[in-house]
Amino acid sequence: MASLGSSELILNPDGSIYHLNLLPQDISPIIITVGDPGRVSQVSQHFDSIEIQKTKREFVTHTGHYGGKRITVLSTGIGTDNIDIVFNELDALANIDFQTRKIKDQKAQLNIIRIGTSGSIQTDIPVDSFLMSSSGIGFDGLLHFYESGHVRNHALEKSLNDYLGWDRHNIHPYVADADPDLIDIFSSNRIRFGITGTNSGFYGPQGRSLRLQTKIPDFNEKLASFSYQDQRITNLEMETAAMYGLAKMLGHRSISLNVILANRPNKEFSKQGRQSIDALIQYTLEKIAQSQLV
């Protein structure tokens, strides 16, 4: 197998991966991702101990221990473009030998858990509730740049695209599903399930209009009315679909856990967002500690 060129596998002078500024030994196979760099310390403050703290750009990483588990928490920044960087570089840390620049024969599997915020598009899903994404619908184009057909939920994709009829708007959503084993680990009567829309922006791509007119004025209402095998599109955010698709292609497992900060049809926004996020953090850490993840 040929070595990866320096323009493809880009390493810093200290041997760390280019954007994340991490060495292979810096990460655990159990990884929590958060969008906001400031939320990394909100997670790691609950750790029993912290062994590594590194920062570069929007990528802040803390690795430590909680409940006998070694856990890495990493900020991704916002959007699927950042997820593309983070997931490819995490996989490189786990599965490429940085000395030889060759892909390892024995592949490691990472468990990547998103603790994120989201907006509900259903009137009956209140702010401050928790939601687990059973599938992610990508309204961005990321997975279309990869040979991703084998990891996508084509039946749900077809049903959604036939229903939306948005080809005329050059919108071609892809769908990827959560890892079933991680669904089992993080399920309880405390958390809801739903199909999550992953959008390429926060304003127009999520049907928000401040001074610019959106092209599809009933964007959220159209999505909210869709159903597939008794499942609804419940919420919108900006990372989940890419996480699920890239994880499956790379042989990793991923789950997206959301705090609902906004209810779009009810025009409500949480008045206790930080407390709700902290509650989901503690929920997630306890589920990890009680699991067989290593």
Side-chain angles (χ1 to χ4, degrees):
M1 179 182 298
S3 298
L4 293 163
S6 59
S7 65
E8 309 308 301
L9 174 64
I10 306 173
L11 301 180
N12 297 313
D14 66 352
S16 62
I17 195 75
Y18 184 57
H19 296 93
L20 301 186
N21 195 38
L22 297 174
L23 298 165
Q25 62 267 28
D26 291 340
I27 65 167
S28 164
I30 304 172
I31 299 171
I32 293 172
T33 64
V34 295
D36 182 358
R39 200 174 299 148
V40 172
S41 60
Q42 193 177 355
V43 176
S44 67
Q45 69 178 341
H46 298 287
F47 286 2
D48 303 317
S49 62
I50 299 173
E51 62 180 80
I52 292 164
Q53 298 183 66
K54 291 189 174 182
T55 301
K56 185 179 180 184
R57 305 187 189 193
E58 63 266 54
F59 307 113
V60 177
T61 305
H62 292 180
T63 295
H65 293 82
Y66 179 88
K69 306 285 189 181
R70 187 172 188 254
I71 301 171
T72 294
V73 55
L74 164 69
S75 62
T76 63
I78 298 173
T80 59
D81 51 343
N82 277 23
I83 294 300
D84 184 59
I85 291 170
V86 170
F87 273 55
N88 275 287
E89 293 196 0
L90 285 174
D91 178 74
L93 289 164
N95 291 314
I96 296 176
D97 185 321
F98 284 10
Q99 300 301 315
T100 65
R101 293 181 166 270
K102 293 183 178 180
I103 298 169
K104 297 177 182 177
D105 293 330
Q106 293 295 114
K107 306 297 189 300
Q109 184 179 66
L110 303 175
N111 296 285
I112 307 173
I113 303 122
R114 173 182 179 269
I115 299 177
T117 58
S118 186
S120 168
I121 59 171
Q122 301 290 346
T123 58
D124 61 333
I125 299 179
V127 295
D128 302 310
S129 59
F130 299 167
L131 187 142
M132 183 188 305
S133 304
S134 56
S135 301
I137 299 170
F139 290 100
D140 64 306
L142 180 61
L143 256 62
H144 298 313
F145 288 89
Y146 292 98
E147 293 292 346
S148 61
H150 61 294
V151 303
R152 285 159 46 189
N153 184 332
H154 292 286
L156 177 49
E157 273 186 25
K158 184 178 188 308
S159 179
L160 177 66
N161 283 304
D162 288 348
Y163 164 79
L164 293 175
W166 285 352
D167 284 356
R168 66 187 185 278
H169 298 306
N170 292 317
I171 297 174
H172 308 281
Y174 62 85
V175 179
D177 298 331
D179 180 84
D181 293 331
L182 293 185
I183 287 177
D184 289 343
I185 288 172
F186 292 97
S187 293
S188 78
N189 57 11
R190 179 80 191 276
I191 194 163
R192 301 165 183 262
F193 288 87
I195 300 173
T196 295
T198 294
N199 304 86
S200 57
F202 186 77
Y203 289 96
Q206 292 189 34
R208 284 186 177 90
S209 178
L210 300 182
R211 290 204 319 115
L212 296 177
Q213 181 64 44
T214 58
K215 192 173 184 180
I216 308 173
D218 62 343
F219 185 89
N220 289 352
E221 293 79 7
K222 186 79 170 175
L223 295 180
S225 298
F226 174 76
S227 66
Y228 176 79
Q229 296 183 351
D230 297 323
Q231 297 182 80
R232 301 179 297 169
I233 301 174
T234 50
N235 61 308
L236 305 179
E237 50 73 79
M238 296 177 65
E239 289 88 33
T240 296
M243 292 181 64
Y244 288 179
L246 290 173
K248 287 181 182 295
M249 285 188 286
L250 291 165
H252 305 306
R253 305 194 297 185
S254 188
I255 193 74
S256 177
L257 311 178
N258 303 265
V259 174
I260 300 299
L261 288 189
N263 184 291
R264 299 292 300 284
N266 295 339
K267 300 188 184 303
E268 297 173 349
F269 195 84
S270 173
K271 297 178 180 178
Q272 55 178 43
R274 185 175 177 85
Q275 296 96 310
S276 297
I277 292 166
D278 196 60
L280 181 58
I281 288 168
Q282 294 184 62
Y283 175 92
T284 304
L285 290 172
E286 282 301 308
K287 287 292 187 181
I288 291 172
Q290 296 164 10
S291 75
Q292 298 301 310
L293 296 176
V294 293

